[in-house]
Structure formats: C-alpha cells, structure tokens
Amino acid sequence: VGIMEYSIIPTVDVLFIKDKEKILLWLRENKPLKWVYYFPGGRIEKGETIKQANKRKMEEELWYGVDVNRLMLLNIYDDFFEESIYEGVALQNITITYVYLLENNEINDFQPNDSQHNEFRFFEIDDNSLHDRVKLRIKDLLNLNILNNGN
C-alpha cells in the first residue's frame, strides 16, 4: 500500500486500432475503473525499459506478444483515480500511451486474461459511451493524425 499511497506510478497503455475507425477495449475486472471498457496496460517495473514494460503487459493481458516496434507514442497523461485495488487509497499514474494499428486477423490471437479482463470488444472511435479518459486519448489520436500517418 505504501508506494501507491505516497508515490506516482509510471504506467504504459496501448490503444489498439482496427481499420482506422475502431478501438479495441477490455472490460476491467479490478479497481480502478472496475467494469469499465479500457485499454490494456499497467505499471512499469523497476529495472525494465518502457519497451520491455509494453511487451510484458501485452503478453500478460492479451496472452499475445505484440510487435513493440510497431508501437507509436501518442502522449503522456496524468491519470488520477479516487480508488485503487487497496481500500481507501487513491492512485495517481503518469501513463505513457501508445497506439498499435492492428493488421489483418491479428486480433484472432488475443485472449483476455481472466484475472485482469472479462472480455474485449471493438468500439467505434466516435462512440459517446466511452470513458472520458478513452475519449481524451482518441481526441489526441485524431488531432495528431496518427491514423493517416501510421503504417
């Protein structure tokens, strides 16, 4: 509990985009954002690079090794959460967010990690029901024109 109570946690998230118009989100099973469709990702561990953290988190949460060389930096975000997995402890993350443009049937190899996510599905990038943090990242994605400049 100590580190989460007194420190800012560095994390990585990945936005998976299909056909330049759909975003792939996972239904979270734990706090913060329990029962919210959100990105896969998580804490960067001491001693690992950002690239290594992305690779590890995607393998843990998707049961799939994404090509980290295809990750495109979107932005760095301050994420504040009123809750965490520890009762009564708020959470603050500095989140390095990347974009990954899905190719062909790559999604067929993904599987949700039962301890992290219940399911995953595609949403239209203009879906108004998405969480505000998801919408913010999509807005940045569109403003930076990554979908037209990507692979």
Coordinates of all heavy atoms in Angstrom, one line a residue, residues 11-17 23 39-40 44 49-51 53-54 68 70-77 95-101 137 141 146:
T11 N 3.1 4.1 -15.7 CA 2.4 3.0 -16.4 C 2.5 3.2 -17.9 O 2.8 4.3 -18.4 CB 1.0 3.0 -16.0 OG1 0.3 4.2 -16.3 CG2 0.8 2.8 -14.5
V12 N 2.1 2.1 -18.6 CA 2.0 2.2 -20.1 C 0.6 1.6 -20.4 O 0.1 0.8 -19.8 CB 3.1 1.3 -20.8 CG1 4.5 1.9 -20.6 CG2 3.1 -0.1 -20.3
D13 N 0.0 2.2 -21.5 CA -1.2 1.8 -22.0 C -1.1 1.7 -23.5 O -0.3 2.4 -24.1 CB -2.4 2.8 -21.8 CG -2.9 2.7 -20.4 OD1 -2.7 1.7 -19.7 OD2 -3.7 3.6 -20.0
V14 N -1.9 0.8 -24.2 CA -1.9 0.7 -25.6 C -3.3 0.8 -26.2 O -4.2 0.1 -25.7 CB -1.2 -0.6 -26.1 CG1 -1.2 -0.8 -27.6 CG2 0.2 -0.7 -25.6
L15 N -3.4 1.7 -27.2 CA -4.7 1.8 -27.9 C -4.5 0.9 -29.2 O -3.7 1.2 -30.0 CB -4.9 3.2 -28.4 CG -5.5 4.2 -27.4 CD1 -4.5 4.6 -26.4 CD2 -5.9 5.5 -28.2
F16 N -5.4 -0.1 -29.3 CA -5.4 -0.9 -30.4 C -6.4 -0.4 -31.4 O -7.6 -0.3 -31.0 CB -5.6 -2.4 -30.1 CG -4.5 -3.0 -29.4 CD1 -4.4 -3.1 -28.0 CD2 -3.5 -3.6 -30.1 CE1 -3.3 -3.6 -27.4 CE2 -2.4 -4.2 -29.5 CZ -2.3 -4.2 -28.1
I17 N -6.0 -0.1 -32.6 CA -6.9 0.5 -33.6 C -7.0 -0.5 -34.8 O -6.0 -1.0 -35.3 CB -6.4 1.8 -34.1 CG1 -6.2 2.8 -32.9 CG2 -7.3 2.4 -35.1 CD1 -7.5 3.2 -32.2
I23 N -11.7 1.0 -32.0 CA -10.8 0.9 -30.9 C -11.1 -0.4 -30.2 O -12.3 -0.6 -29.9 CB -10.7 2.2 -30.0 CG1 -9.6 2.1 -29.0 CG2 -12.1 2.4 -29.4 CD1 -9.4 3.4 -28.3
F39 N -8.2 0.4 -21.9 CA -7.0 -0.1 -22.6 C -6.3 -1.2 -21.7 O -6.3 -1.1 -20.5 CB -6.0 1.0 -22.9 CG -6.6 2.3 -23.3 CD1 -6.7 3.3 -22.4 CD2 -7.2 2.4 -24.6 CE1 -7.2 4.5 -22.8 CE2 -7.7 3.6 -24.9 CZ -7.8 4.7 -24.1
P40 N -5.6 -2.1 -22.4 CA -4.7 -2.9 -21.6 C -3.4 -2.1 -21.3 O -3.0 -1.2 -22.0 CB -4.3 -4.1 -22.6 CG -4.5 -3.5 -23.9 CD -5.6 -2.4 -23.8
I44 N 5.0 0.1 -14.9 CA 6.4 -0.2 -15.3 C 7.1 -0.7 -14.1 O 7.1 0.0 -13.1 CB 7.0 1.1 -15.9 CG1 6.2 1.6 -17.1 CG2 8.5 0.8 -16.3 CD1 6.7 2.9 -17.6
T49 N 12.8 -1.4 -19.2 CA 12.6 -0.2 -20.0 C 11.1 -0.1 -20.4 O 10.3 -1.0 -20.1 CB 13.4 -0.4 -21.4 OG1 12.8 -1.5 -22.1 CG2 14.9 -0.6 -21.1
I50 N 10.8 1.0 -20.9 CA 9.4 1.3 -21.3 C 9.0 0.2 -22.4 O 7.9 -0.3 -22.3 CB 9.2 2.7 -21.8 CG1 9.4 3.7 -20.7 CG2 7.8 2.9 -22.5 CD1 9.6 5.1 -21.1
K51 N 9.9 -0.1 -23.3 CA 9.6 -1.1 -24.3 C 9.4 -2.4 -23.7 O 8.4 -3.2 -24.1 CB 10.7 -1.1 -25.4 CG 10.4 -2.0 -26.6 CD 11.6 -2.0 -27.6 CE 11.3 -0.9 -28.6 NZ 12.2 -1.1 -29.8
A53 N 8.3 -3.0 -20.7 CA 7.1 -3.0 -19.9 C 5.9 -3.2 -20.9 O 5.0 -3.9 -20.6 CB 7.0 -1.6 -19.2
N54 N 5.9 -2.5 -22.0 CA 4.9 -2.7 -23.0 C 4.8 -4.2 -23.4 O 3.7 -4.8 -23.5 CB 5.1 -1.9 -24.3 CG 4.4 -0.5 -24.1 OD1 3.3 -0.4 -23.9 ND2 5.2 0.5 -24.3
V68 N 6.5 -4.8 -30.5 CA 6.7 -3.5 -29.9 C 7.3 -2.4 -30.8 O 7.2 -1.2 -30.5 CB 7.5 -3.6 -28.6 CG1 6.7 -4.4 -27.5 CG2 8.9 -4.2 -28.8
R70 N 6.2 -1.7 -33.6 CA 5.0 -1.1 -34.3 C 4.3 -0.1 -33.3 O 3.3 0.5 -33.8 CB 4.1 -2.1 -34.8 CG 4.7 -2.9 -36.0 CD 3.8 -4.0 -36.5 NE 2.4 -3.8 -36.5 CZ 1.5 -4.8 -36.4 NH1 1.9 -6.0 -36.3 NH2 0.2 -4.6 -36.3
L71 N 4.7 0.0 -32.1 CA 4.0 1.0 -31.2 C 4.4 2.4 -31.6 O 5.6 2.7 -31.8 CB 4.5 0.7 -29.7 CG 4.0 -0.6 -29.1 CD1 4.7 -0.8 -27.8 CD2 2.5 -0.6 -28.9
M72 N 3.4 3.3 -31.6 CA 3.6 4.7 -31.9 C 3.2 5.5 -30.6 O 2.1 5.3 -30.1 CB 2.8 5.1 -33.1 CG 3.2 4.4 -34.4 SD 2.1 4.9 -35.7 CE 0.7 3.8 -35.4
L73 N 4.1 6.3 -30.2 CA 3.8 7.1 -29.0 C 2.7 8.1 -29.3 O 2.7 8.8 -30.3 CB 5.0 7.9 -28.6 CG 4.9 8.9 -27.4 CD1 4.5 8.1 -26.1 CD2 6.1 9.7 -27.1
L74 N 1.6 8.1 -28.4 CA 0.5 9.0 -28.5 C 0.8 10.2 -27.7 O 0.8 11.3 -28.2 CB -0.8 8.3 -28.1 CG -2.0 9.2 -28.1 CD1 -2.3 9.8 -29.5 CD2 -3.2 8.5 -27.6
N75 N 0.9 10.0 -26.4 CA 1.1 11.1 -25.4 C 1.4 10.6 -24.1 O 1.3 9.4 -23.8 CB -0.1 12.0 -25.4 CG 0.2 13.4 -25.1 OD1 1.2 13.8 -24.5 ND2 -0.7 14.3 -25.4
I76 N 1.7 11.5 -23.1 CA 1.9 11.1 -21.7 C 0.8 11.8 -21.0 O 0.5 13.0 -21.2 CB 3.3 11.5 -21.2 CG1 4.3 10.8 -22.1 CG2 3.4 11.2 -19.7 CD1 5.7 11.3 -21.8
Y77 N 0.1 11.1 -20.1 CA -1.1 11.6 -19.4 C -0.9 11.5 -17.9 O -0.3 10.6 -17.3 CB -2.3 10.8 -19.8 CG -2.6 10.8 -21.2 CD1 -2.1 9.9 -22.1 CD2 -3.5 11.8 -21.7 CE1 -2.3 10.0 -23.5 CE2 -3.7 11.9 -23.1 CZ -3.2 11.0 -24.0 OH -3.4 11.1 -25.3
T95 N 0.9 8.1 -17.3 CA 0.7 7.0 -18.2 C 1.3 7.4 -19.6 O 0.8 8.3 -20.2 CB -0.8 6.7 -18.3 OG1 -1.3 6.5 -17.0 CG2 -1.1 5.5 -19.2
I96 N 2.2 6.5 -20.1 CA 2.8 6.7 -21.4 C 1.9 5.8 -22.3 O 1.8 4.6 -22.2 CB 4.2 6.2 -21.4 CG1 5.0 6.9 -20.4 CG2 4.8 6.4 -22.8 CD1 6.4 6.3 -20.1
T97 N 1.2 6.5 -23.2 CA 0.2 5.8 -24.0 C 0.7 5.7 -25.5 O 1.1 6.7 -26.1 CB -1.2 6.6 -24.0 OG1 -1.6 6.7 -22.6 CG2 -2.2 5.9 -24.8
Y98 N 0.5 4.5 -26.0 CA 0.9 4.2 -27.4 C -0.3 3.7 -28.2 O -1.3 3.3 -27.7 CB 1.9 3.0 -27.3 CG 3.3 3.4 -26.8 CD1 3.5 3.3 -25.4 CD2 4.3 3.9 -27.6 CE1 4.7 3.7 -24.8 CE2 5.5 4.2 -27.0 CZ 5.7 4.2 -25.6 OH 6.9 4.6 -25.1
V99 N -0.1 3.8 -29.5 CA -1.1 3.4 -30.5 C -0.5 2.2 -31.2 O 0.7 2.2 -31.6 CB -1.4 4.5 -31.5 CG1 -2.3 4.0 -32.6 CG2 -2.0 5.7 -30.8
Y100 N -1.3 1.2 -31.5 CA -0.9 0.0 -32.2 C -2.0 -0.3 -33.3 O -3.1 -0.5 -33.0 CB -0.8 -1.2 -31.3 CG -0.2 -2.5 -31.8 CD1 1.2 -2.7 -31.7 CD2 -0.9 -3.4 -32.5 CE1 1.8 -3.8 -32.2 CE2 -0.4 -4.6 -33.0 CZ 1.0 -4.8 -32.8 OH 1.6 -5.9 -33.3
L101 N -1.6 -0.1 -34.6 CA -2.5 -0.4 -35.7 C -2.6 -1.9 -36.0 O -1.5 -2.5 -36.4 CB -2.1 0.4 -36.9 CG -2.0 2.0 -36.7 CD1 -1.6 2.6 -38.0 CD2 -3.4 2.5 -36.2
R137 N -7.9 10.3 -25.2 CA -6.9 9.7 -26.0 C -7.3 9.7 -27.5 O -6.4 9.9 -28.3 CB -6.5 8.4 -25.4 CG -5.6 8.5 -24.1 CD -5.7 7.3 -23.2 NE -4.8 7.3 -22.1 CZ -5.0 7.9 -21.0 NH1 -6.1 8.6 -20.7 NH2 -4.1 7.8 -20.0
L141 N -5.4 11.3 -30.6 CA -5.1 10.4 -31.7 C -5.6 11.1 -33.0 O -4.8 11.1 -34.0 CB -5.8 9.1 -31.6 CG -5.8 8.1 -32.7 CD1 -4.4 7.4 -32.8 CD2 -6.8 7.0 -32.5
I146 N -2.4 10.4 -36.4 CA -1.7 9.2 -36.4 C -2.3 8.2 -37.3 O -1.6 7.4 -38.0 CB -1.5 8.7 -35.0 CG1 -0.6 9.6 -34.2 CG2 -1.1 7.2 -35.0 CD1 -0.5 9.2 -32.7

